[in-house]
Structures are given as structure tokens and as C-alpha cells.
Amino acid sequence: MENQVLNAIYNRRSTRGFEDTPLTKEQLDSLMKVATASPSALNQQSWHFTFCSDKSAIAAVEKEVGDLIMASSDEGAKERMKSRNMKVFYNAPTVIFISSDAQSCWSKLDAGIAVENLALAAHSMGLGSVIIGMCKMAFEGANGSKFDKMLGFPETHKFSIALAVGVPTVSKEAHEVGENKITVM
């Protein structure tokens, strides 16, 4: 079956390398429309999107995550960070930080729906993206409120998930799908 949406789902990959090319106003505007068009429980729209192209802000969050991981006792995480040259956002020119209303029991789920919509939309526009949850460490650490303020999160919101977006410099094959992931009744 030939279907653009299905093809986008099947062909999208996580991108871990980006050109140093800013997104255009048109691309950003389209992604902003997609973000706010995402469905949400009871139409509460309890998410907030921070479209960040400020390299120093992105670098500050990335450094905080790297520092926290390197100070941890998780040797596997330390090795992964070293192998990625301490990169969390892989030089993406834009990172979309999604924060959620801490009072809403559905807000984090809504953020997950929104990030997938954004990732698929970016792919359909010829952009690469990678969904990133590990930067949550920066927002839950000692400097978390500083990052919340820096990125303009509403007072009632906390970090949920992020999406790094840009022109990809790398690609990869799809992961193998594990067994026993579907039950048909």
C-alpha cells in the first residue's frame, strides 16, 4: 500500500548528526503549527513548546547532562557519552523542549504524542530528528529551575521530552524489531 504517512513512519530514523544550518522560518513555522495541532487528553493542551535555536542555551543543557553523567557511577552511560563526544543534541541547530503541566495526569502522555508528530513532520520536510529524554537529568538536577527559566517554561510546567531537529549528516538502518511485541486476540 502506497501511503505517505505510513512511509514516513517506516522510513524515519533517529539522526545523531546535523549540519550547522539553521532551520528556515518556513520550517520553524510549520513545526510550530504541527506542535500545537497535536492531540491532547480532554483537549487540555497541557504541553508547552520551547523552540530553541540559541546555541549557548542548547550547549548549557548539554554540558549539564554530560557533567551529571560523568559524575555518576553508571560506567555504561559514561562510555556512551564519551563515544558521542559528550553530545546530547548532536549539534542540532534547533532543539524543541516540551514541558508539561505538572498538575495534569495526562500531560506527559500528551508530550509524547506531540514529539512523535514533530519527528514525523520533520522527516516529511526532509529534516532529521532525534527524540531525547536523557536531558531530563539537567532539569531534575540542582540547576533545574535555572534551565526551566532559561527556556521559558511556564511556572506550572516541568520538562517532559525534547526533539533535536536539523539537516541530517548521517543516516542508519532500522533497528531489528524484537519478538513478542504484538498480541492478536
Side-chain angles (χ1 to χ4, degrees), residues 3-183:
N3 179 295
Q4 290 179 347
V5 174
L6 294 177
N7 286 338
I9 292 168
Y10 298 147
N11 294 316
R12 188 211 159 264
R13 302 285 181 266
S14 292
T15 301
R16 289 185 173 83
F18 298 92
E19 287 182 11
D20 188 23
T21 305
L23 291 154
T24 66
K25 180 179 179 343
E26 219 175 25
Q27 290 167 326
L28 285 168
D29 288 346
S30 293
L31 289 171
M32 287 180 208
K33 283 180 81 171
V34 164
T36 56
S38 296
S40 65
L42 305 171
N43 195 31
Q44 290 181 349
Q45 302 177 27
S46 58
W47 22 241
H48 180 85
F49 304 93
T50 301
F51 280 71
C52 183
S53 298
D54 179 334
K55 288 183 180 190
S56 64
I58 293 168
V61 174
E62 186 168 64
K63 181 180 182 328
E64 184 79 1
V65 173
D67 289 350
L68 289 168
I69 288 174
M70 297 312 284
S72 79
S73 60
D74 187 337
E75 295 303 321
K78 289 179 183 181
E79 287 307 312
R80 279 192 304 281
M81 282 303 290
K82 288 178 192 173
S83 73
R84 295 174 177 173
N85 297 316
M86 303 301 286
K87 296 295 181 185
V88 175
F89 302 116
Y90 308 99
N91 301 317
T94 299
V95 177
I96 304 165
F97 293 93
I98 304 175
S99 57
S100 300
D101 186 338
Q103 301 304 309
S104 169
C105 64
W106 303 111
S107 193
K108 287 188 181 280
L109 182 63
D110 293 341
I113 294 166
V115 79
E116 180 67 4
N117 278 7
L118 285 161
L120 291 171
H123 176 76
S124 76
M125 296 163 56
L127 298 170
S129 69
V130 60
I131 298 170
I132 302 169
M134 73 184 295
C135 58
K136 148 183 161 170
M137 297 172 73
F139 297 94
E140 292 180 349
N143 294 315
S145 61
K146 174 183 105 173
F147 293 118
D148 290 351
K149 286 183 180 102
M150 178 181 73
L151 293 168
F153 294 177
E155 282 188 28
T156 58
H157 285 52
K158 294 293 177 194
F159 171 83
S160 284
I161 199 156
L163 184 75
V165 183
V167 176
T169 59
V170 296
S171 63
K172 65 178 191 174
E173 294 298 316
H175 291 292
E176 297 268 335
V177 176
E179 293 182 36
N180 303 317
K181 300 298 178 188
I182 296 174
T183 299

